[in-house]
Amino acid sequence: MIREMQHTGERSREEMEYERAHRRVAREAAREGIVLLENQGILPLQKGTKVQLLGAGARRTIKGGTGSGDVNERESVSIEEGLRRSGYELTGQKWLEEYDAVYEQARADGMKLVREKEKKSNFVEAFFSTPFLSPDENRMSEQNVEEGDEPVIYVLARISGEGTDRRNEKGDFKLSDREYENLHYLQEKKRDIILVLNTGGMMDLSFLEEFSQIQAVLYLTQGGMEGGNALAEVLSGETNPSGKLTDTWAMQYGDYPGAADFGANNGNLETEEYKEGILVGYRWFDAQEKKVRYPFGYGRSYTEFSIQGKEAVAEEQQYFLRVQVTNEGGRSGKEVVQVYAGMPQNTENLHEKKRLVAFAKTRELAPKESQVLEFWIPEDALSYYDEQEEKWCIDAGSYCFYVGNASDNLQTLLKFEQEKKVIFAEEKKVKRTGEEQSRIEKAARMAEQLTDAELVQLVCGAFGGEVSQLGNAAQSVPGAAGETVGLRHGDVEVANIILVDGPAGLRLSRHYQTSRAGKIYPQTFESMVEGGIFEKPEPKADAVDYYQYCTAFPIGTMLAQTWNLDLITKVGNTVGEELEHFQVTLWLAPGMNIHRNPLCGRNFEYYSEDPYLTGKMAAAMTEGVQAVPGVGTTLKHFACNNQEDNRNHVNAVVGERALREIYLKGFEIAVKEANPYAIMTSYNKINGVHAANSEKLCTKIAREEWGYHGLIMTDWATTLNGAESAGCIRAGNDLIMPGAKEDHEQLKEALAKGTLERGQLVKCASRVIATALHSNRYV
Ligand code: BGC
């Protein structure tokens, strides 16, 4: 039976128990995601100590990026608040107060600019093309920085988001002139500086060499609503930092593969050639033997760990490794053990020197305490995609395993020869349970009974008038990104399902109103972005108020920096409960595109440069979410959405091997291990074909090769921006989101012309129905 949809959220503004419980999980994730990059002994810094807090992110701490990945939480704890709450004595507020004024002015100017641009296009376009970046800092001087010898915590901030890439320029990837001057000022005053990076991604840190007064560097990243509290814990040593980088931090931007050609750098936003092939991230730096600033997997602690190999054996179709981790220092803490496969270099085929094949985080180890970790590594962890064979193979050659706590701090555990090349005839496939099978069959029978017009309705999202790219197209749950159509035809009854954005939590409207009779007053896109600063809807008299407070978790990259799969599953489970609480079925997350280049504007939503780490994170997240009955994840953006400028039209020219090994691998792992409810295709083209229209991606690879039987949907308004509506259905892309009248027209026309067959529509519609049947919309 279909569940009656209630108005979601609370009638009262009071903090609910679920909020408190979920915040605790957000804090746990934040505390484990912080990476200590440098420490010359100044940290930890005892609570109660006097510190001077400066920098753009100190009070205006950035909790996450902009766009659909934003979350409308109740409140976020800034770094200033976090430090104060944990008992630090903060001196001299003058500089921060001046920066407040700078910030407010910049915000007002930015909003004005959006309004001006809006006159020439529309609000959505104007908004996306005018991201608000934290304004440059005011000058530090004796007038606004208090003299003293207490340490300075200096917080650099950067924000980025959907629709626009970052730039390798001052004020973005590089320090601004003013930030540089300010560091100089502090250096000259001989202040000890603790640098905190409140950024969604990397920055050029070459200035570190110049400022000897910088005594410690912490990569806070963007920690969600609990970021400030988590940072205070790490600064004070209450939490020993255990986060590790999920990307390679090069000495300079130009060291990244294809840096000069990336996105707007070469003036060509139409075509992006992935010339580096499989050599992305550390694979590239290994091949080039190029020195890096911080290697992949790197992160320091306030204690020292030793890692000892205990056993390493080759077994039937797998390898077994056992290592012992011991806390050799004087403070308790956690360590991450990383296992890499050393790939053969003596073969005809190119292979990366090493690749991550396993990892685990220890429990909190007291001084002198040890823990034994065991790893089973399946032999296909060593495979590569052979373009001639069109199969996964293991090359003949010399292999080994390395273990350690960073990609540059490794010991060899096992060396072995692979005598003959192995070709895998069949791939492992997603297992289908009996229950799933009968649901799929039932859905197919239901779809068969529907008229063409009804099938068309089901494969397009339910749009309520205006279509917006950054979704707020749902009608039943205000602020949700979209919903599907519910319908009834004789005995066939299909529930609508609601879809909500992520990946840093749920993105819903904080507040909405209904009439006394229960009709939801619609909200505009303007009122939904950035906490409603562009438009505060006039509260209606004689209306009923509802409040929807969602938990803002750390951004995707920071979650991955925990390297703690159990913790990610716990975050997922919390998200799952929130989905159920708000009667939503699909979470439009995790985001799992590869950090191909540090300037991609949406890297913050994604996990890493490494496909294995990405896949494991997404699988753990999915397992957590889907442990709650009736709700599921949507892996996105499938695939190669590695830049934001011209994201709807850019053509990613990528070789088959890199596509399989780097850009699809994470999706493959998550699909096979965790069987997510849904996948979302990306906006861009891949080798000339829009991902949304790619039969190869949706049908051949995902369904036939991997055995995926869930739902595939488009990204929002893809079909209004280059991809064809009928092309989606032909490709096996089941659901066109958020749905538009043009989609209906195109599909009907294609049916009439015979360029789309009813059978193709039935297949897609039956997958939409199967998802609805699997959802929390039934009792
Ligand atoms: C984004 C997606 C998001 C969708 C719905 C699109 O603009 O690319 O990641 O899920 O909007 O809001």
Side-chain angles (χ1 to χ4, degrees):
M1 231 176 65
I2 295 178
R3 216 168 158 190
E4 193 63 40
M5 198 93 204
Q6 308 290 330
H7 290 315
T8 51
E10 260 52 61
R11 296 286 306 277
S12 127
R13 255 193 178 139
E14 244 162 72
E15 197 181 34
M16 305 289 293
E17 183 44 41
Y18 83 86
E19 288 182 67
R20 284 190 283 272
H22 294 186
R23 264 184 100 139
R24 283 194 288 275
V25 180
R27 182 157 173 177
E28 232 184 284
R31 77 164 66 98
E32 285 208 25
I34 296 173
V35 183
L36 178 64
L37 296 174
E38 304 278 350
N39 185 16
Q40 290 168 28
I42 190 168
L43 295 179
L45 196 68
Q46 264 207 329
K47 284 186 180 173
T49 316
K50 251 191 180 180
V51 291
Q52 182 145 171
L53 185 60
L54 298 167
R59 182 172 284 174
R60 305 284 180 164
T61 306
I62 295 170
K63 69 150 205 293
T66 63
S68 63
D70 197 5
V71 175
N72 297 315
E73 77 288 12
R74 179 185 284 274
E75 52 142 15
S76 270
V77 180
S78 69
I79 293 177
E80 184 185 23
E81 240 175 284
L83 292 184
R84 214 185 282 287
R85 284 186 192 178
S86 55
Y88 286 98
E89 190 187 327
L90 303 181
T91 60
Q93 302 296 297
K94 194 122 187 271
W95 186 91
L96 288 177
E97 278 154 21
E98 282 178 19
Y99 184 70
D100 278 346
V102 172
Y103 187 95
E104 294 303 346
Q105 187 57 47
R107 199 71 200 93
D109 293 347
M111 286 165 68
K112 227 161 89 195
L113 196 63
V114 171
R115 291 297 183 198
E116 270 161 32
K117 281 195 184 174
E118 182 187 2
K119 289 183 201 143
K120 293 193 203 108
S121 54
N122 58 57
F123 182 81
V124 179
E125 248 180 77
F127 175 76
F128 272 124
S129 60
T130 323
F132 175 66
L133 309 174
S134 307
D136 202 3
E137 297 182 347
N138 37 315
R139 176 173 285 123
M140 292 181 190
S141 71
E142 274 153 24
Q143 269 76 56
N144 56 22
V145 178
E146 216 170 83
E147 292 283 311
D149 57 9
E150 69 276 16
V152 167
I153 297 178
Y154 181 51
V155 188
L156 281 176
R158 293 288 184 273
I159 194 163
S160 71
E162 199 171 333
T164 316
D165 286 318
R166 297 177 60 194
R167 297 280 181 266
N168 178 32
E169 285 166 10
K170 288 180 181 175
D172 192 344
F173 197 70
K174 296 177 176 166
L175 277 189
S176 71
D177 288 337
R178 179 56 59 73
E179 288 164 339
Y180 183 83
E181 266 174 53
N182 284 347
L183 274 169
H184 248 288
Y185 175 80
L186 298 170
Q187 169 88 9
E188 268 161 30
K189 292 282 176 191
K190 297 265 178 305
R191 302 296 292 264
D192 287 337
I193 305 168
I194 297 162
L195 180 69
V196 175
L197 304 174
N198 177 209
T199 64
M202 291 178 232
M203 274 190 70
D204 181 343
L205 296 184
S206 39
F207 62 87
L208 290 184
E209 273 89 49
E210 254 181 86
F211 298 110
S212 55
Q213 288 299 113
I214 299 180
Q215 302 284 308
V217 183
L218 275 163
Y219 184 31
L220 164 63
T221 326
Q222 293 167 345
M225 67 199 297
E226 286 291 325
N229 283 334
L231 183 77
E233 283 183 29
V234 168
L235 279 168
S236 69
E238 186 183 333
T239 290
N240 194 343
S242 65
K244 305 277 177 184
L245 295 178
T246 61
D247 291 312
T248 308
W249 290 45
M251 295 307 283
Q252 56 201 5
Y253 175 71
D255 293 348
Y256 288 100
D261 292 337
F262 177 76
N265 291 348
N266 63 358
N268 175 2
L269 284 173
E270 300 305 313
T271 311
E272 183 70 16
E273 292 193 44
Y274 288 38
K275 288 187 190 147
E276 70 285 350
I278 61 163
L279 298 179
V280 175
Y282 60 88
R283 289 162 166 83
W284 168 262
F285 291 92
D286 280 352
Q288 301 285 310
E289 295 182 358
K290 216 174 200 66
K291 186 168 174 245
V292 301
R293 182 170 300 281
Y294 303 121
F296 175 83
Y298 167 86
R300 304 183 52 162
S301 163
Y302 298 149
T303 184
E304 291 288 326
F305 294 93
S306 66
I307 297 176
Q308 247 190 324
K310 288 287 179 193
E311 199 184 337
V313 283
E315 292 182 357
E316 187 86 358
Q317 292 175 3
Q318 65 177 357
Y319 300 88
F320 174 71
L321 308 178
R322 204 150 60 89
V323 300
Q324 179 172 319
V325 188
T326 307
N327 183 350
E328 307 285 357
R331 274 175 179 272
S332 52
K334 296 183 178 183
E335 180 59 300
V336 175
V337 177
Q338 303 159 36
V339 183
Y340 297 81
M343 300 295 288
Q345 301 298 304
N346 52 350
T347 65
E348 248 175 60
N349 294 308
L350 167 96
H351 297 293
E352 65 269 56
K353 286 202 173 138
K354 63 174 183 291
R355 63 162 76 147
L356 184 72
V357 292
F359 62 89
K361 196 165 195 173
T362 65
R363 61 173 185 268
E364 179 99 4
L365 296 177
K368 303 294 166 256
E369 199 188 347
S370 297
Q371 184 178 352
V372 172
L373 297 173
E374 296 182 329
F375 301 94
W376 281 267
I377 298 156
E379 66 171 355
D380 62 8
L382 307 175
S383 67
Y384 75 103
Y385 190 80
D386 191 309
E387 293 185 355
Q388 266 79 52
E389 302 281 354
E390 297 186 349
K391 295 241 152 41
W392 290 92
C393 301
I394 302 178
D395 219 346
S398 319
Y399 292 80
C400 69
F401 288 114
Y402 303 112
V403 295
N405 66 354
S407 63
D408 73 334
N409 187 24
L410 300 168
Q411 47 184 290
T412 308
L413 260 202
L414 183 71
K415 287 190 176 167
F416 53 98
E417 284 298 317
Q418 176 75 34
E419 303 296 342
K420 276 211 228 99
K421 177 170 169 177
V422 177
I423 303 174
F424 293 101
E426 263 291 305
E427 277 197 50
K428 283 183 202 154
K429 289 205 165 48
V430 185
K431 287 194 195 76
R432 207 180 276 202
T433 62
E435 193 192 330
E436 277 174 305
Q437 188 56 34
S438 57
R439 188 168 51 236
I440 289 166
E441 285 164 14
K442 179 175 175 194
R445 285 195 303 272
M446 287 166 77
E448 289 288 1
Q449 295 175 48
L450 301 176
T451 64
D452 288 358
E454 285 165 336
L455 293 171
V456 166
Q457 279 190 39
L458 278 184
V459 299
C460 298
F463 56 99
E466 229 177 85
V467 174
S468 112
Q469 190 163 34
L470 179 126
N472 64 333
Q475 291 108 54
S476 318
V477 182
E483 65 183 74
T484 61
V485 171
L487 56 78
R488 194 186 300 243
H489 173 129
D491 291 348
V492 177
E493 209 184 354
V494 184
N496 61 329
I497 57 170
I498 317 295
L499 297 81
V500 70
D501 260 309
L506 275 63
R507 193 169 67 91
L508 292 176
S509 300
R510 264 191 209 114
H511 173 229
Y512 69 94
Q513 294 190 309
T514 70
S515 68
R516 290 274 160 212
K519 191 181 165 313
I520 296 174
Y521 290 122
Q523 295 185 317
T524 60
F525 175 77
E526 273 100 316
S527 69
M528 284 212 32
V529 290
E530 303 205 19
I533 55 167
F534 282 93
E535 188 188 294
K536 290 244 177 304
E538 272 295 301
K540 299 215 170 22
D542 199 31
V544 185
D545 292 284
Y546 288 90
Y547 299 92
Q548 309 183 105
Y549 291 110
C550 299
T551 311
F553 292 93
I555 57 169
T557 308
M558 189 174 184
L559 290 175
Q561 282 173 186
T562 65
W563 291 68
N564 186 339
L565 293 174
D566 292 341
L567 181 51
I568 298 307
T569 300
K570 191 166 167 184
V571 169
N573 206 242
T574 311
V575 166
E577 281 172 13
E578 231 161 277
L579 291 169
E580 171 58 20
H581 181 81
F582 289 108
Q583 299 173 49
V584 174
T585 298
L586 291 181
W587 191 39
L588 304 175
M592 36 187 324
N593 295 98
I594 292 295
H595 293 171
R596 174 175 176 253
N597 186 288
L599 299 186
C600 171
R602 279 182 101 170
N603 274 353
F604 72 95
E605 294 186 52
Y606 310 143
Y607 295 126
S608 167
E609 67 185 21
D610 181 76
Y612 176 77
L613 182 60
T614 297
K616 294 301 277 188
M617 286 291 152
M621 186 67 92
T622 298
E623 271 161 20
V625 171
Q626 296 188 178
V628 177
V631 302
T633 58
T634 309
L635 311 183
K636 72 185 188 188
H637 309 89
F638 190 54
C640 298
N641 188 174
N642 302 107
Q643 82 179 52
E644 283 300 297
D645 287 341
N646 197 30
R647 63 178 173 164
N648 280 298
H649 305 285
V650 63
N651 181 24
V653 180
V654 51
E656 193 63 23
R657 209 179 143 192
L659 185 65
R660 301 287 187 144
E661 291 182 30
I662 305 294
Y663 300 101
L664 298 183
K665 194 71 195 174
F667 289 96
E668 182 187 341
I669 293 171
V671 161
K672 290 182 179 175
E673 286 189 10
N675 198 5
Y677 271 46
I679 295 178
M680 183 195 293
T681 55
S682 57
Y683 284 127
N684 51 284
K685 294 182 214 158
I686 303 172
N687 299 323
V689 181
H690 272 287
N693 289 159
S694 173
E695 191 182 351
K696 172 177 168 180
L697 224 54
C698 302
T699 298
K700 182 170 176 295
I701 298 181
R703 296 198 202 283
E704 291 171 9
E705 293 183 24
W706 301 346
Y708 181 62
H709 47 268
L711 180 76
I712 303 186
M713 73 180 77
T714 70
D715 199 346
W716 267 230
T718 310
T719 49
L720 304 179
N721 285 291
E724 277 180 53
S725 314
C728 294
I729 306 305
R730 281 195 299 265
N733 198 345
D734 311 314
L735 177 62
I736 301 173
M737 287 304 291
K741 95 177 168 312
E742 289 86 337
D743 295 318
H744 287 230
E745 284 160 9
Q746 272 197 33
L747 293 182
K748 284 182 187 151
E749 200 185 307
L751 270 177
K753 276 200 201 145
T755 50
L756 180 66
E757 291 162 18
R758 178 180 156 90
Q760 290 167 319
L761 259 183
V762 167
K763 271 194 194 160
C764 291
S766 71
R767 287 187 287 253
V768 175
I769 298 172
T771 311
L773 293 177
H774 196 190
S775 76
N776 52 352
R777 295 285 294 112
Y778 290 83
V779 276

